[in-house]
Amino acid sequence: MHMKDANTGKRTVPATRARLRAGKLRTMSQDLIGPCTLYDLKNGNTGLILPGEAADLPDTFYIEDEGDMCLGLAHVQQRARPHIEIAYLEAPTPLHTLTKRSA
């Protein structure tokens, strides 16, 4: 279920006290797509704000959340550029556990 702004009817609504945080988008092979800003949505999903010159975003990709220090596999739920609503396909993994595995 997507929460809609009653005034616009087209865009998702950020949570009342949305936590804005920096993030990086990565391809399925972990190559960098570009930076983004992440925020929480009322429905429990996550919103992305893409910079104006961002490359086309695939439907499924990884998000490196620099605020929560985690990496998660995500899928696009709704696109309304520059805002994109995503849902995680699996629980995000803390970055410190990923660096231990690769060491």
Side-chain angles (χ1 to χ4, degrees):
M1 178 173 114
H2 299 290
M3 300 296 288
K4 303 290 181 187
D5 185 333
N7 295 327
T8 65
K10 292 187 179 184
R11 67 173 178 224
T12 56
V13 181
T16 305
R17 305 192 97 200
R19 297 178 308 128
L20 294 176
R21 54 208 185 274
K24 293 178 185 165
L25 305 176
R26 297 188 176 275
T27 64
M28 296 298 289
S29 60
Q30 302 280 332
D31 295 328
L32 183 65
I33 296 172
C36 67
T37 301
L38 304 167
Y39 59 92
D40 302 318
L41 296 171
K42 284 184 177 181
N43 65 2
N45 285 345
T46 301
L48 305 176
I49 301 172
L50 299 176
E53 299 298 319
D56 288 333
L57 190 63
D59 287 336
T60 304
F61 51 90
Y62 282 99
I63 297 177
E64 184 178 326
D65 187 330
E66 296 175 355
D68 290 343
M69 299 300 293
C70 62
L71 181 72
L73 183 61
H75 184 76
V76 173
Q77 298 294 303
Q78 183 176 0
R79 294 175 191 255
R81 237 172 140 74
H83 297 272
I84 294 178
E85 178 182 348
I86 61 100
Y88 285 102
L89 297 175
E90 55 189 40
T93 305
L95 290 174
H96 73 288
T97 61
L98 296 173
T99 55
K100 287 180 183 176
R101 288 183 198 164
S102 63

